[in-house]
Amino acid sequence: MKSNNFFKKQMAKQGMRQVVTVFIGLIVLCMAFGIINPLFFSSRNISNLLRQIAPIILIGIGQSFVLITGNIDLSIGSIVGMSTMISATLMTKGMNPWVATLITLIASLAVGVINGYLVAGFKLPPFIATLGTMTICRGIAQIANGNYNTGAINTIAKTAASVDKFRDVFYYGKTLGLYNGVWIALVLFLIFNFILTKTRSGRYLYALGSNPEAARLSGVSVLKTTTIAYVVSAFCSCVVGIIQCCSAGMGAMDAGNSYEMYGVAASVIGGVSTLGGTGRLIGTVVGAAIWSVLQNGLQFAQAPVAIRNIVIGIIVIVAVLLDIIIRRGPANKKKATPNSNKTKK
């Protein structure tokens, strides 16, 4: 009985039914790809798949925070590229990798603050504001090393050993059988999920996305809350940029291309509304898993890259359409209620 009550309470929480539905879809998807090619369930592929999912989870978490406030962040991919290039360039100059990461983090968080002020302070449409910072960050990525990709980050003798250890921490190393990148994604998920569900800031984020004017009148600082969302997004993008740098062992100017779409896809597939105010990070994790499983499974099925992109694009569009249809349903019922009452009278 207690387990049944616990299950009912969990299902009663906002967005949990959609999360469970998407999770069932993930299981069906995995079973289908396993039937098509049994190697899909090989330990090697599962291990690599988890490592591929980790950056998408992080990007999805950042985008989810912004979407919940009713905004969007198009600068995510460019912040990833900027972070990759800044950190890699500094390491190729002989800087300690942790110091390089700190400088990179400060630069990324500054972009998050700028995004927040442009959207909430200067009232720019989020699409335009983050489109502008997206272009700026990509430009910074290009000029960081004189419009060239960097060389290997571990070629400087005095820092080579520390760089190799640094790469193990963020990408190649394993803890309890899982790649460290997976653990990083898990830890950050737990932290940000706690912030979103158990803190005042989290409640303010949902309130802002549900009804900005009502949230403002209730004492919610629109500027502060919006900036928090964009700073979280920039932080997650920076971490992904560092992971990309450690993965490639160099800086690439085009790192992070299309990652803003990955973030939206993971969030929306997982049940985060593009209209703001609803969604759970656990759904974003499941959405990221579906995205990565589709990429991996279609590759095992030997589907051309073009077909993979088409399939995933269709799924994203359908997910957004379903979200809009579901959200319009209750609104239409509320509008119909007063009329029906008048008729009865």
Side-chain angles (χ1 to χ4, degrees):
M1 291 294 292
K2 288 183 178 180
S3 60
N4 288 337
N5 290 334
F6 175 78
F7 180 74
K8 288 179 180 178
K9 287 181 180 179
Q10 294 301 312
M11 290 300 292
K13 292 180 179 179
Q14 188 181 49
M16 280 305 296
R17 290 184 182 277
Q18 189 166 352
V19 171
V20 172
T21 302
V22 175
F23 182 71
I24 293 171
L26 174 62
I27 294 174
V28 171
L29 201 60
C30 289
M31 295 301 296
F33 285 130
I35 292 171
I36 293 172
N37 192 332
L39 288 177
F40 178 82
F41 284 117
S42 66
S43 58
R44 182 177 179 181
N45 186 56
I46 295 298
S47 181
N48 287 330
L49 182 58
L50 288 174
R51 186 159 61 169
Q52 292 167 13
I53 291 172
I56 309 302
I57 289 175
L58 292 173
I59 289 295
I61 289 172
Q63 191 67 271
S64 293
F65 263 72
V66 177
L67 288 175
I68 285 170
T69 65
N71 296 303
I72 193 169
D73 189 355
L74 298 181
S75 66
I76 282 179
S78 294
I79 295 175
V80 171
M82 183 185 75
S83 301
T84 301
M85 284 300 297
I86 291 176
S87 58
T89 300
L90 293 175
M91 281 186 263
T92 56
K93 304 299 182 184
M95 184 176 287
N96 179 280
W98 293 103
V99 177
T101 298
L102 178 60
I103 293 172
T104 304
L105 180 60
I106 292 171
S108 299
L109 295 182
V111 177
V113 172
I114 291 169
N115 280 336
Y117 270 80
L118 289 174
V119 172
F122 294 96
K123 310 299 182 185
L124 264 66
F127 184 90
I128 300 300
T130 58
L131 183 65
T133 51
M134 176 187 79
T135 308
I136 292 169
C137 290
R138 187 60 66 183
I140 293 172
Q142 291 166 343
I143 66 173
N145 193 49
N147 210 32
Y148 288 99
N149 293 336
T150 72
I153 59 177
N154 62 350
T155 54
I156 304 297
K158 67 176 183 178
T159 58
S162 60
V163 168
D164 288 338
K165 289 180 181 178
F166 181 77
R167 294 180 71 189
D168 285 340
V169 170
F170 278 91
Y171 191 74
Y172 287 103
K174 283 187 175 184
T175 303
L176 299 177
L178 291 177
Y179 284 107
N180 288 342
V182 179
W183 287 111
I184 291 170
L186 176 61
V187 170
L188 290 180
F189 160 73
L190 293 174
I191 292 171
F192 288 124
N193 189 61
F194 176 83
I195 291 172
L196 202 56
T197 59
K198 304 296 183 181
T199 68
R200 183 183 298 174
S201 295
R203 292 192 294 272
Y204 286 173
L205 288 164
Y206 281 110
L208 183 61
S210 297
N211 192 325
E213 186 59 23
R216 186 185 65 80
L217 293 174
S218 300
V220 175
S221 172
V222 176
L223 176 60
K224 180 181 177 181
T225 305
T226 303
T227 302
I228 288 173
Y230 278 108
V231 165
V232 169
S233 179
F235 174 82
C236 291
S237 301
C238 178
V239 174
V240 173
I242 299 299
I243 291 174
Q244 292 259 317
C245 176
C246 292
S247 168
M250 59 174 287
M253 292 183 292
D254 63 349
N257 272 347
S258 300
Y259 269 43
E260 54 279 350
M261 184 181 71
Y262 297 174
V264 171
S267 303
V268 172
I269 291 172
V272 178
S273 175
T274 56
L275 303 177
T278 60
R280 307 184 73 85
L281 288 192
I282 185 63
T284 299
V285 172
V286 178
I290 286 179
W291 174 272
S292 300
V293 165
L294 275 170
Q295 290 276 22
N296 186 270
L298 290 171
Q299 186 176 356
F300 265 90
Q302 298 181 339
V305 175
I307 299 299
R308 291 182 234 164
N309 291 335
I310 290 171
V311 170
I312 294 172
I314 290 172
I315 289 174
V316 173
I317 293 172
V318 170
V320 174
L321 284 173
L322 287 175
D323 170 56
I324 293 173
I325 291 168
I326 292 169
R327 291 286 291 270
R328 281 178 179 171
N332 290 336
K333 286 181 181 178
K334 288 179 182 178
K335 289 179 181 179
T337 302
N339 294 332
S340 60
N341 290 336
K342 288 179 182 179
T343 304
K344 288 179 182 179
K345 289 180 181 179

